[in-house]
Amino acid sequence: GDSVTQKQGQVTLSEDDFLFINCTYSTTTYPTLLWYVQYLGQGPQLLLKVTTANNKGISRGFEATYDKGTTSFHLQKASVQESDSAVYFCALGSSGSWQLIFGSGTQLTVMP
Amino acid sequence: GALVYQYPRRTICKSGTSMRMECQAVGFQATSVAWYRQSPQKTFELIALSTVNSAIKYEQNFTQEKFPISHPNLSFSSMTVLNAYLEDRGLYLCGARTDSGNTLYFGEGSRLIVV
């Protein structure tokens, strides 16, 4: 079945560091790939989404490219801020069903 | 923009009692709603998928008898956790979706604490 893998459970950075969060997926259908961000005490918020292979989603300085060859959708940001501290979830939507399958999440902590 | 409100934000209930939570979509028509439970470890469990005027589809390990859902119109859905016990603790999230695409817009969640 469809699946999403986030290998990094926790990432700790300092302000202005480069962020890279790994996400790979598996599906037999045409995927929609999304990143959600969940701040402490809140629900998940959509950060960015891509539906076409080789396209890049960009939002609030974050970007992720849908790489069909490596079945990846890694999240990157050139320079993180303390306010970016949150849990980041990669999610997969397949054309066969509109439910989303979430990765296990990556807790990002940015030190001032 | 699309907004989803969930109420209540937090409930403490005695073991064996029930909790009802509501989900309101504002600014868009929520033709479909997905109810998830998020564990303290942050993992998501899909409980059920609900589409207006269609049967509600429950995932394995979740039943209508335990988690009855109502989705009467395009802006409102509710779910009840009946006879809640410790294993039902968690953050219950409502994700609403319009007709097109796979994007779910989530509310802040309703946290269930069972004592």
Side-chain angles (χ1 to χ4, degrees):
Chain A
D2 295 349
S3 66
V4 178
T5 302
Q6 287 180 250
K7 291 185 177 178
Q8 302 151 287
Q10 294 198 4
V11 172
T12 301
L13 298 171
S14 298
E15 279 199 322
D16 297 324
D17 280 352
F18 171 73
L19 170 69
F20 181 91
I21 299 179
N22 184 287
C23 171
T24 57
Y25 66 91
S26 174
T27 181
T28 57
T29 66
Y30 295 100
T32 297
L33 295 162
L34 311 93
W35 278 98
Y36 282 85
V37 56
Q38 187 173 24
Y39 298 100
L40 188 64
Q42 298 184 22
Q45 300 173 20
L46 179 66
L47 181 58
L48 52 85
K49 155 181 128 168
V50 171
T51 58
T52 306
N54 302 321
N55 271 9
K56 181 185 292 186
I58 299 174
S59 174
R60 305 186 230 168
F62 292 89
E63 62 179 56
T65 301
Y66 168 6
D67 188 328
K68 189 177 177 183
T70 59
T71 61
S72 66
F73 192 54
H74 309 314
L75 183 69
Q76 303 180 62
K77 187 177 186 184
S79 175
V80 293
Q81 303 303 305
E82 190 179 357
S83 57
D84 293 325
S85 297
V87 183
Y88 291 81
F89 293 94
C90 185
L92 167 69
S94 61
S95 58
S97 167
W98 59 268
Q99 71 159 296
L100 293 181
I101 296 171
F102 287 87
S104 53
T106 299
Q107 170 74 60
L108 171 65
T109 303
V110 181
M111 311 297 288
Chain B
L3 291 174
V4 176
Y5 292 101
Q6 284 189 253
Y7 178 83
R9 291 290 305 274
R10 183 172 177 262
T11 299
I12 301 172
C13 68
K14 283 189 173 181
S15 183
T17 62
S18 300
M19 172 204 178
R20 181 173 182 266
M21 57 197 80
E22 299 180 350
C23 175
Q24 182 87 35
V26 177
F28 69 108
Q29 294 186 325
T31 53
S32 303
V33 168
W35 285 94
Y36 287 85
R37 179 171 66 199
Q38 189 177 34
S39 70
Q41 294 73 35
K42 302 297 183 185
T43 56
F44 288 82
E45 287 181 281
L46 178 64
I47 298 171
L49 299 173
S50 172
T51 300
V52 173
N53 298 325
S54 294
I56 297 168
K57 183 185 171 189
Y58 286 84
E59 291 294 294
Q60 197 172 11
N61 301 326
F62 295 96
T63 65
Q64 183 180 4
E65 290 70 32
K66 173 73 174 178
F67 299 94
I69 290 170
S70 172
H71 191 178
N73 57 56
L74 294 173
S75 64
F76 182 82
S77 178
S78 67
M79 183 176 76
T80 302
V81 181
L82 294 174
N83 300 317
Y85 289 98
L86 289 177
E87 58 266 28
D88 296 317
R89 291 174 300 177
L91 181 67
Y92 287 83
L93 291 164
C94 164
R97 166 189 177 266
T98 61
D99 261 339
S100 57
N102 297 71
T103 304
L104 289 178
Y105 297 97
F106 287 93
E108 301 284 21
S110 292
R111 184 170 299 283
L112 174 60
I113 300 167
V114 182
V115 296

PDB file of all heavy atoms in Angstrom, chain B residues 50-86:
ATOM      1  N   SER B  50     -15.749  11.005   5.692  1.00  0.00           N
ATOM      2  CA  SER B  50     -17.173  11.319   5.578  1.00  0.00           C
ATOM      3  C   SER B  50     -17.399  12.272   4.421  1.00  0.00           C
ATOM      4  O   SER B  50     -16.746  13.308   4.319  1.00  0.00           O
ATOM      5  CB  SER B  50     -17.651  11.977   6.882  1.00  0.00           C
ATOM      6  OG  SER B  50     -18.963  12.455   6.738  1.00  0.00           O
ATOM      7  N   THR B  51     -18.311  11.924   3.534  1.00  0.00           N
ATOM      8  CA  THR B  51     -18.693  12.784   2.420  1.00  0.00           C
ATOM      9  C   THR B  51     -20.187  13.042   2.526  1.00  0.00           C
ATOM     10  O   THR B  51     -20.962  12.108   2.760  1.00  0.00           O
ATOM     11  CB  THR B  51     -18.355  12.116   1.079  1.00  0.00           C
ATOM     12  OG1 THR B  51     -16.932  11.878   1.031  1.00  0.00           O
ATOM     13  CG2 THR B  51     -18.748  13.003  -0.087  1.00  0.00           C
ATOM     14  N   VAL B  52     -20.562  14.298   2.346  1.00  0.00           N
ATOM     15  CA  VAL B  52     -21.976  14.657   2.451  1.00  0.00           C
ATOM     16  C   VAL B  52     -22.808  13.795   1.506  1.00  0.00           C
ATOM     17  O   VAL B  52     -22.442  13.585   0.346  1.00  0.00           O
ATOM     18  CB  VAL B  52     -22.178  16.152   2.137  1.00  0.00           C
ATOM     19  CG1 VAL B  52     -23.655  16.480   2.087  1.00  0.00           C
ATOM     20  CG2 VAL B  52     -21.495  17.014   3.171  1.00  0.00           C
ATOM     21  N   ASN B  53     -23.919  13.288   2.014  1.00  0.00           N
ATOM     22  CA  ASN B  53     -24.863  12.466   1.244  1.00  0.00           C
ATOM     23  C   ASN B  53     -24.297  11.114   0.814  1.00  0.00           C
ATOM     24  O   ASN B  53     -24.820  10.490  -0.107  1.00  0.00           O
ATOM     25  CB  ASN B  53     -25.380  13.220   0.010  1.00  0.00           C
ATOM     26  CG  ASN B  53     -26.133  14.476   0.386  1.00  0.00           C
ATOM     27  OD1 ASN B  53     -26.830  14.505   1.407  1.00  0.00           O
ATOM     28  ND2 ASN B  53     -25.987  15.513  -0.404  1.00  0.00           N
ATOM     29  N   SER B  54     -23.238  10.687   1.469  1.00  0.00           N
ATOM     30  CA  SER B  54     -22.686   9.350   1.209  1.00  0.00           C
ATOM     31  C   SER B  54     -22.446   8.636   2.528  1.00  0.00           C
ATOM     32  O   SER B  54     -22.404   9.264   3.581  1.00  0.00           O
ATOM     33  CB  SER B  54     -21.376   9.436   0.429  1.00  0.00           C
ATOM     34  OG  SER B  54     -21.594   9.940  -0.854  1.00  0.00           O
ATOM     35  N   ALA B  55     -22.263   7.347   2.428  1.00  0.00           N
ATOM     36  CA  ALA B  55     -21.988   6.570   3.638  1.00  0.00           C
ATOM     37  C   ALA B  55     -20.622   6.942   4.194  1.00  0.00           C
ATOM     38  O   ALA B  55     -19.690   7.240   3.454  1.00  0.00           O
ATOM     39  CB  ALA B  55     -22.055   5.083   3.313  1.00  0.00           C
ATOM     40  N   ILE B  56     -20.509   6.908   5.517  1.00  0.00           N
ATOM     41  CA  ILE B  56     -19.236   7.206   6.168  1.00  0.00           C
ATOM     42  C   ILE B  56     -18.392   5.945   6.170  1.00  0.00           C
ATOM     43  O   ILE B  56     -18.863   4.865   6.516  1.00  0.00           O
ATOM     44  CB  ILE B  56     -19.493   7.711   7.602  1.00  0.00           C
ATOM     45  CG1 ILE B  56     -20.286   9.015   7.536  1.00  0.00           C
ATOM     46  CG2 ILE B  56     -18.177   7.908   8.345  1.00  0.00           C
ATOM     47  CD1 ILE B  56     -20.849   9.462   8.865  1.00  0.00           C
ATOM     48  N   LYS B  57     -17.136   6.099   5.777  1.00  0.00           N
ATOM     49  CA  LYS B  57     -16.247   4.947   5.687  1.00  0.00           C
ATOM     50  C   LYS B  57     -15.281   4.945   6.871  1.00  0.00           C
ATOM     51  O   LYS B  57     -14.453   5.847   7.016  1.00  0.00           O
ATOM     52  CB  LYS B  57     -15.460   4.998   4.377  1.00  0.00           C
ATOM     53  CG  LYS B  57     -14.552   3.804   4.168  1.00  0.00           C
ATOM     54  CD  LYS B  57     -13.722   3.986   2.904  1.00  0.00           C
ATOM     55  CE  LYS B  57     -12.657   2.889   2.819  1.00  0.00           C
ATOM     56  NZ  LYS B  57     -11.699   3.144   1.749  1.00  0.00           N
ATOM     57  N   TYR B  58     -15.399   3.928   7.706  1.00  0.00           N
ATOM     58  CA  TYR B  58     -14.537   3.805   8.873  1.00  0.00           C
ATOM     59  C   TYR B  58     -13.327   2.930   8.559  1.00  0.00           C
ATOM     60  O   TYR B  58     -13.436   1.941   7.832  1.00  0.00           O
ATOM     61  CB  TYR B  58     -15.317   3.197  10.050  1.00  0.00           C
ATOM     62  CG  TYR B  58     -16.284   4.164  10.689  1.00  0.00           C
ATOM     63  CD1 TYR B  58     -17.569   4.348  10.164  1.00  0.00           C
ATOM     64  CD2 TYR B  58     -15.910   4.907  11.806  1.00  0.00           C
ATOM     65  CE1 TYR B  58     -18.446   5.251  10.740  1.00  0.00           C
ATOM     66  CE2 TYR B  58     -16.783   5.812  12.397  1.00  0.00           C
ATOM     67  CZ  TYR B  58     -18.051   5.976  11.851  1.00  0.00           C
ATOM     68  OH  TYR B  58     -18.911   6.874  12.424  1.00  0.00           O
ATOM     69  N   GLU B  59     -12.219   3.302   9.152  1.00  0.00           N
ATOM     70  CA  GLU B  59     -11.005   2.499   9.018  1.00  0.00           C
ATOM     71  C   GLU B  59     -11.059   1.316   9.988  1.00  0.00           C
ATOM     72  O   GLU B  59     -11.848   1.303  10.942  1.00  0.00           O
ATOM     73  CB  GLU B  59      -9.778   3.357   9.315  1.00  0.00           C
ATOM     74  CG  GLU B  59      -9.524   4.412   8.257  1.00  0.00           C
ATOM     75  CD  GLU B  59      -9.142   3.814   6.913  1.00  0.00           C
ATOM     76  OE1 GLU B  59      -8.061   3.206   6.811  1.00  0.00           O
ATOM     77  OE2 GLU B  59      -9.948   3.964   5.973  1.00  0.00           O
ATOM     78  N   GLN B  60     -10.185   0.360   9.687  1.00  0.00           N
ATOM     79  CA  GLN B  60     -10.099  -0.805  10.565  1.00  0.00           C
ATOM     80  C   GLN B  60      -9.759  -0.331  11.977  1.00  0.00           C
ATOM     81  O   GLN B  60      -8.981   0.587  12.157  1.00  0.00           O
ATOM     82  CB  GLN B  60      -9.005  -1.736  10.049  1.00  0.00           C
ATOM     83  CG  GLN B  60      -9.087  -3.136  10.602  1.00  0.00           C
ATOM     84  CD  GLN B  60      -8.106  -4.077   9.912  1.00  0.00           C
ATOM     85  OE1 GLN B  60      -7.235  -3.648   9.174  1.00  0.00           O
ATOM     86  NE2 GLN B  60      -8.262  -5.362  10.161  1.00  0.00           N
ATOM     87  N   ASN B  61     -10.327  -0.936  12.969  1.00  0.00           N
ATOM     88  CA  ASN B  61     -10.137  -0.622  14.394  1.00  0.00           C
ATOM     89  C   ASN B  61     -11.000   0.541  14.866  1.00  0.00           C
ATOM     90  O   ASN B  61     -10.935   0.914  16.027  1.00  0.00           O
ATOM     91  CB  ASN B  61      -8.669  -0.325  14.744  1.00  0.00           C
ATOM     92  CG  ASN B  61      -7.757  -1.495  14.422  1.00  0.00           C
ATOM     93  OD1 ASN B  61      -8.159  -2.651  14.545  1.00  0.00           O
ATOM     94  ND2 ASN B  61      -6.556  -1.199  13.997  1.00  0.00           N
ATOM     95  N   PHE B  62     -11.771   1.126  13.958  1.00  0.00           N
ATOM     96  CA  PHE B  62     -12.690   2.191  14.353  1.00  0.00           C
ATOM     97  C   PHE B  62     -14.086   1.832  13.824  1.00  0.00           C
ATOM     98  O   PHE B  62     -14.219   1.416  12.681  1.00  0.00           O
ATOM     99  CB  PHE B  62     -12.239   3.535  13.778  1.00  0.00           C
ATOM    100  CG  PHE B  62     -10.917   4.008  14.315  1.00  0.00           C
ATOM    101  CD1 PHE B  62      -9.750   3.761  13.612  1.00  0.00           C
ATOM    102  CD2 PHE B  62     -10.840   4.681  15.519  1.00  0.00           C
ATOM    103  CE1 PHE B  62      -8.522   4.185  14.098  1.00  0.00           C
ATOM    104  CE2 PHE B  62      -9.623   5.106  16.028  1.00  0.00           C
ATOM    105  CZ  PHE B  62      -8.462   4.856  15.308  1.00  0.00           C
ATOM    106  N   THR B  63     -15.096   2.018  14.671  1.00  0.00           N
ATOM    107  CA  THR B  63     -16.460   1.644  14.278  1.00  0.00           C
ATOM    108  C   THR B  63     -17.431   2.778  14.520  1.00  0.00           C
ATOM    109  O   THR B  63     -17.194   3.681  15.342  1.00  0.00           O
ATOM    110  CB  THR B  63     -16.945   0.418  15.070  1.00  0.00           C
ATOM    111  OG1 THR B  63     -17.050   0.790  16.458  1.00  0.00           O
ATOM    112  CG2 THR B  63     -16.004  -0.765  14.913  1.00  0.00           C
ATOM    113  N   GLN B  64     -18.537   2.701  13.823  1.00  0.00           N
ATOM    114  CA  GLN B  64     -19.604   3.687  14.005  1.00  0.00           C
ATOM    115  C   GLN B  64     -20.186   3.589  15.402  1.00  0.00           C
ATOM    116  O   GLN B  64     -20.627   4.592  15.964  1.00  0.00           O
ATOM    117  CB  GLN B  64     -20.697   3.449  12.961  1.00  0.00           C
ATOM    118  CG  GLN B  64     -21.824   4.466  13.016  1.00  0.00           C
ATOM    119  CD  GLN B  64     -22.885   4.199  11.975  1.00  0.00           C
ATOM    120  OE1 GLN B  64     -22.830   3.223  11.245  1.00  0.00           O
ATOM    121  NE2 GLN B  64     -23.857   5.083  11.890  1.00  0.00           N
ATOM    122  N   GLU B  65     -20.180   2.400  15.954  1.00  0.00           N
ATOM    123  CA  GLU B  65     -20.745   2.202  17.281  1.00  0.00           C
ATOM    124  C   GLU B  65     -19.926   2.935  18.351  1.00  0.00           C
ATOM    125  O   GLU B  65     -20.454   3.331  19.378  1.00  0.00           O
ATOM    126  CB  GLU B  65     -20.817   0.704  17.626  1.00  0.00           C
ATOM    127  CG  GLU B  65     -21.848  -0.077  16.829  1.00  0.00           C
ATOM    128  CD  GLU B  65     -21.480  -0.252  15.375  1.00  0.00           C
ATOM    129  OE1 GLU B  65     -20.258  -0.344  15.069  1.00  0.00           O
ATOM    130  OE2 GLU B  65     -22.402  -0.256  14.527  1.00  0.00           O
ATOM    131  N   LYS B  66     -18.658   3.071  18.118  1.00  0.00           N
ATOM    132  CA  LYS B  66     -17.763   3.712  19.067  1.00  0.00           C
ATOM    133  C   LYS B  66     -17.532   5.194  18.730  1.00  0.00           C
ATOM    134  O   LYS B  66     -17.397   6.023  19.620  1.00  0.00           O
ATOM    135  CB  LYS B  66     -16.419   2.969  19.044  1.00  0.00           C
ATOM    136  CG  LYS B  66     -15.291   3.594  19.846  1.00  0.00           C
ATOM    137  CD  LYS B  66     -15.476   3.448  21.336  1.00  0.00           C
ATOM    138  CE  LYS B  66     -14.243   3.957  22.058  1.00  0.00           C
ATOM    139  NZ  LYS B  66     -14.397   3.883  23.524  1.00  0.00           N
ATOM    140  N   PHE B  67     -17.489   5.513  17.440  1.00  0.00           N
ATOM    141  CA  PHE B  67     -17.189   6.873  16.984  1.00  0.00           C
ATOM    142  C   PHE B  67     -18.256   7.350  15.993  1.00  0.00           C
ATOM    143  O   PHE B  67     -17.975   7.571  14.806  1.00  0.00           O
ATOM    144  CB  PHE B  67     -15.811   6.919  16.294  1.00  0.00           C
ATOM    145  CG  PHE B  67     -14.663   6.537  17.173  1.00  0.00           C
ATOM    146  CD1 PHE B  67     -14.194   5.225  17.186  1.00  0.00           C
ATOM    147  CD2 PHE B  67     -14.035   7.474  17.977  1.00  0.00           C
ATOM    148  CE1 PHE B  67     -13.118   4.864  17.994  1.00  0.00           C
ATOM    149  CE2 PHE B  67     -12.963   7.119  18.791  1.00  0.00           C
ATOM    150  CZ  PHE B  67     -12.513   5.808  18.802  1.00  0.00           C
ATOM    151  N   PRO B  68     -19.495   7.510  16.431  1.00  0.00           N
ATOM    152  CA  PRO B  68     -20.536   7.961  15.495  1.00  0.00           C
ATOM    153  C   PRO B  68     -20.244   9.356  14.955  1.00  0.00           C
ATOM    154  O   PRO B  68     -19.850  10.253  15.701  1.00  0.00           O
ATOM    155  CB  PRO B  68     -21.812   7.942  16.347  1.00  0.00           C
ATOM    156  CG  PRO B  68     -21.333   8.020  17.758  1.00  0.00           C
ATOM    157  CD  PRO B  68     -20.007   7.325  17.801  1.00  0.00           C
ATOM    158  N   ILE B  69     -20.433   9.529  13.658  1.00  0.00           N
ATOM    159  CA  ILE B  69     -20.134  10.779  12.975  1.00  0.00           C
ATOM    160  C   ILE B  69     -21.394  11.279  12.290  1.00  0.00           C
ATOM    161  O   ILE B  69     -22.162  10.508  11.717  1.00  0.00           O
ATOM    162  CB  ILE B  69     -19.022  10.569  11.921  1.00  0.00           C
ATOM    163  CG1 ILE B  69     -17.674  10.299  12.612  1.00  0.00           C
ATOM    164  CG2 ILE B  69     -18.891  11.781  10.998  1.00  0.00           C
ATOM    165  CD1 ILE B  69     -16.581   9.844  11.658  1.00  0.00           C
ATOM    166  N   SER B  70     -21.575  12.585  12.341  1.00  0.00           N
ATOM    167  CA  SER B  70     -22.659  13.248  11.627  1.00  0.00           C
ATOM    168  C   SER B  70     -22.045  14.290  10.698  1.00  0.00           C
ATOM    169  O   SER B  70     -21.149  15.030  11.086  1.00  0.00           O
ATOM    170  CB  SER B  70     -23.612  13.914  12.625  1.00  0.00           C
ATOM    171  OG  SER B  70     -24.550  14.717  11.945  1.00  0.00           O
ATOM    172  N   HIS B  71     -22.546  14.344   9.466  1.00  0.00           N
ATOM    173  CA  HIS B  71     -22.038  15.317   8.487  1.00  0.00           C
ATOM    174  C   HIS B  71     -23.246  15.820   7.700  1.00  0.00           C
ATOM    175  O   HIS B  71     -23.422  15.483   6.535  1.00  0.00           O
ATOM    176  CB  HIS B  71     -21.017  14.630   7.586  1.00  0.00           C
ATOM    177  CG  HIS B  71     -20.245  15.573   6.716  1.00  0.00           C
ATOM    178  ND1 HIS B  71     -19.250  15.132   5.853  1.00  0.00           N
ATOM    179  CD2 HIS B  71     -20.294  16.914   6.551  1.00  0.00           C
ATOM    180  CE1 HIS B  71     -18.743  16.163   5.206  1.00  0.00           C
ATOM    181  NE2 HIS B  71     -19.357  17.249   5.614  1.00  0.00           N
ATOM    182  N   PRO B  72     -24.077  16.636   8.330  1.00  0.00           N
ATOM    183  CA  PRO B  72     -25.377  16.981   7.755  1.00  0.00           C
ATOM    184  C   PRO B  72     -25.344  18.001   6.625  1.00  0.00           C
ATOM    185  O   PRO B  72     -26.294  18.067   5.844  1.00  0.00           O
ATOM    186  CB  PRO B  72     -26.139  17.558   8.947  1.00  0.00           C
ATOM    187  CG  PRO B  72     -25.056  18.139   9.815  1.00  0.00           C
ATOM    188  CD  PRO B  72     -23.896  17.223   9.673  1.00  0.00           C
ATOM    189  N   ASN B  73     -24.295  18.824   6.559  1.00  0.00           N
ATOM    190  CA  ASN B  73     -24.232  19.841   5.506  1.00  0.00           C
ATOM    191  C   ASN B  73     -22.772  20.164   5.170  1.00  0.00           C
ATOM    192  O   ASN B  73     -21.853  19.550   5.720  1.00  0.00           O
ATOM    193  CB  ASN B  73     -24.985  21.102   5.948  1.00  0.00           C
ATOM    194  CG  ASN B  73     -24.451  21.656   7.242  1.00  0.00           C
ATOM    195  OD1 ASN B  73     -23.266  21.943   7.371  1.00  0.00           O
ATOM    196  ND2 ASN B  73     -25.333  21.802   8.240  1.00  0.00           N
ATOM    197  N   LEU B  74     -22.600  21.131   4.273  1.00  0.00           N
ATOM    198  CA  LEU B  74     -21.266  21.403   3.725  1.00  0.00           C
ATOM    199  C   LEU B  74     -20.376  22.233   4.637  1.00  0.00           C
ATOM    200  O   LEU B  74     -19.263  22.581   4.259  1.00  0.00           O
ATOM    201  CB  LEU B  74     -21.407  22.108   2.370  1.00  0.00           C
ATOM    202  CG  LEU B  74     -22.031  21.259   1.268  1.00  0.00           C
ATOM    203  CD1 LEU B  74     -22.284  22.108   0.025  1.00  0.00           C
ATOM    204  CD2 LEU B  74     -21.136  20.082   0.920  1.00  0.00           C
ATOM    205  N   SER B  75     -20.865  22.544   5.830  1.00  0.00           N
ATOM    206  CA  SER B  75     -20.010  23.342   6.706  1.00  0.00           C
ATOM    207  C   SER B  75     -19.830  22.738   8.091  1.00  0.00           C
ATOM    208  O   SER B  75     -19.089  23.277   8.909  1.00  0.00           O
ATOM    209  CB  SER B  75     -20.589  24.753   6.867  1.00  0.00           C
ATOM    210  OG  SER B  75     -21.847  24.705   7.504  1.00  0.00           O
ATOM    211  N   PHE B  76     -20.460  21.620   8.361  1.00  0.00           N
ATOM    212  CA  PHE B  76     -20.448  21.114   9.727  1.00  0.00           C
ATOM    213  C   PHE B  76     -20.333  19.595   9.788  1.00  0.00           C
ATOM    214  O   PHE B  76     -20.960  18.876   9.007  1.00  0.00           O
ATOM    215  CB  PHE B  76     -21.730  21.549  10.451  1.00  0.00           C
ATOM    216  CG  PHE B  76     -21.791  21.121  11.883  1.00  0.00           C
ATOM    217  CD1 PHE B  76     -21.148  21.842  12.869  1.00  0.00           C
ATOM    218  CD2 PHE B  76     -22.488  19.966  12.244  1.00  0.00           C
ATOM    219  CE1 PHE B  76     -21.198  21.437  14.193  1.00  0.00           C
ATOM    220  CE2 PHE B  76     -22.543  19.540  13.566  1.00  0.00           C
ATOM    221  CZ  PHE B  76     -21.902  20.297  14.539  1.00  0.00           C
ATOM    222  N   SER B  77     -19.528  19.133  10.743  1.00  0.00           N
ATOM    223  CA  SER B  77     -19.457  17.707  11.037  1.00  0.00           C
ATOM    224  C   SER B  77     -19.224  17.553  12.531  1.00  0.00           C
ATOM    225  O   SER B  77     -18.630  18.430  13.171  1.00  0.00           O
ATOM    226  CB  SER B  77     -18.318  17.029  10.263  1.00  0.00           C
ATOM    227  OG  SER B  77     -18.220  15.651  10.590  1.00  0.00           O
ATOM    228  N   SER B  78     -19.692  16.467  13.077  1.00  0.00           N
ATOM    229  CA  SER B  78     -19.427  16.186  14.482  1.00  0.00           C
ATOM    230  C   SER B  78     -19.090  14.718  14.650  1.00  0.00           C
ATOM    231  O   SER B  78     -19.497  13.874  13.837  1.00  0.00           O
ATOM    232  CB  SER B  78     -20.620  16.554  15.367  1.00  0.00           C
ATOM    233  OG  SER B  78     -21.713  15.693  15.089  1.00  0.00           O
ATOM    234  N   MET B  79     -18.344  14.431  15.703  1.00  0.00           N
ATOM    235  CA  MET B  79     -18.009  13.044  16.025  1.00  0.00           C
ATOM    236  C   MET B  79     -18.068  12.888  17.536  1.00  0.00           C
ATOM    237  O   MET B  79     -17.706  13.811  18.272  1.00  0.00           O
ATOM    238  CB  MET B  79     -16.605  12.674  15.526  1.00  0.00           C
ATOM    239  CG  MET B  79     -16.240  11.221  15.787  1.00  0.00           C
ATOM    240  SD  MET B  79     -14.654  10.731  15.104  1.00  0.00           S
ATOM    241  CE  MET B  79     -13.554  11.492  16.284  1.00  0.00           C
ATOM    242  N   THR B  80     -18.545  11.762  17.977  1.00  0.00           N
ATOM    243  CA  THR B  80     -18.611  11.460  19.402  1.00  0.00           C
ATOM    244  C   THR B  80     -17.715  10.276  19.702  1.00  0.00           C
ATOM    245  O   THR B  80     -17.659   9.323  18.919  1.00  0.00           O
ATOM    246  CB  THR B  80     -20.053  11.146  19.835  1.00  0.00           C
ATOM    247  OG1 THR B  80     -20.882  12.266  19.507  1.00  0.00           O
ATOM    248  CG2 THR B  80     -20.132  10.890  21.330  1.00  0.00           C
ATOM    249  N   VAL B  81     -17.006  10.346  20.810  1.00  0.00           N
ATOM    250  CA  VAL B  81     -16.258   9.201  21.313  1.00  0.00           C
ATOM    251  C   VAL B  81     -17.095   8.632  22.454  1.00  0.00           C
ATOM    252  O   VAL B  81     -17.250   9.266  23.505  1.00  0.00           O
ATOM    253  CB  VAL B  81     -14.863   9.602  21.820  1.00  0.00           C
ATOM    254  CG1 VAL B  81     -14.111   8.369  22.323  1.00  0.00           C
ATOM    255  CG2 VAL B  81     -14.072  10.312  20.724  1.00  0.00           C
ATOM    256  N   LEU B  82     -17.681   7.468  22.226  1.00  0.00           N
ATOM    257  CA  LEU B  82     -18.564   6.857  23.220  1.00  0.00           C
ATOM    258  C   LEU B  82     -17.758   5.971  24.175  1.00  0.00           C
ATOM    259  O   LEU B  82     -16.812   5.293  23.755  1.00  0.00           O
ATOM    260  CB  LEU B  82     -19.632   6.017  22.521  1.00  0.00           C
ATOM    261  CG  LEU B  82     -20.640   6.781  21.657  1.00  0.00           C
ATOM    262  CD1 LEU B  82     -21.535   5.810  20.904  1.00  0.00           C
ATOM    263  CD2 LEU B  82     -21.487   7.714  22.521  1.00  0.00           C
ATOM    264  N   ASN B  83     -18.155   5.993  25.424  1.00  0.00           N
ATOM    265  CA  ASN B  83     -17.504   5.139  26.441  1.00  0.00           C
ATOM    266  C   ASN B  83     -15.988   5.245  26.348  1.00  0.00           C
ATOM    267  O   ASN B  83     -15.284   4.270  26.098  1.00  0.00           O
ATOM    268  CB  ASN B  83     -17.933   3.681  26.246  1.00  0.00           C
ATOM    269  CG  ASN B  83     -19.436   3.520  26.386  1.00  0.00           C
ATOM    270  OD1 ASN B  83     -20.042   4.086  27.284  1.00  0.00           O
ATOM    271  ND2 ASN B  83     -20.023   2.759  25.481  1.00  0.00           N
ATOM    272  N   ALA B  84     -15.506   6.439  26.549  1.00  0.00           N
ATOM    273  CA  ALA B  84     -14.068   6.684  26.390  1.00  0.00           C
ATOM    274  C   ALA B  84     -13.256   6.018  27.484  1.00  0.00           C
ATOM    275  O   ALA B  84     -13.628   6.048  28.657  1.00  0.00           O
ATOM    276  CB  ALA B  84     -13.819   8.190  26.390  1.00  0.00           C
ATOM    277  N   TYR B  85     -12.152   5.427  27.069  1.00  0.00           N
ATOM    278  CA  TYR B  85     -11.212   4.841  28.006  1.00  0.00           C
ATOM    279  C   TYR B  85      -9.818   5.373  27.705  1.00  0.00           C
ATOM    280  O   TYR B  85      -9.631   6.160  26.765  1.00  0.00           O
ATOM    281  CB  TYR B  85     -11.273   3.304  27.946  1.00  0.00           C
ATOM    282  CG  TYR B  85     -12.552   2.786  28.534  1.00  0.00           C
ATOM    283  CD1 TYR B  85     -13.635   2.439  27.727  1.00  0.00           C
ATOM    284  CD2 TYR B  85     -12.703   2.686  29.922  1.00  0.00           C
ATOM    285  CE1 TYR B  85     -14.822   1.988  28.285  1.00  0.00           C
ATOM    286  CE2 TYR B  85     -13.894   2.233  30.472  1.00  0.00           C
ATOM    287  CZ  TYR B  85     -14.942   1.889  29.646  1.00  0.00           C
ATOM    288  OH  TYR B  85     -16.122   1.456  30.203  1.00  0.00           O
ATOM    289  N   LEU B  86      -8.851   4.947  28.503  1.00  0.00           N
ATOM    290  CA  LEU B  86      -7.512   5.510  28.403  1.00  0.00           C
ATOM    291  C   LEU B  86      -6.946   5.431  26.987  1.00  0.00           C
ATOM    292  O   LEU B  86      -6.287   6.367  26.530  1.00  0.00           O
ATOM    293  CB  LEU B  86      -6.564   4.805  29.382  1.00  0.00           C
ATOM    294  CG  LEU B  86      -6.784   5.111  30.861  1.00  0.00           C
ATOM    295  CD1 LEU B  86      -5.845   4.291  31.719  1.00  0.00           C
ATOM    296  CD2 LEU B  86      -6.584   6.598  31.148  1.00  0.00           C
TER     297      LEU B  86
END
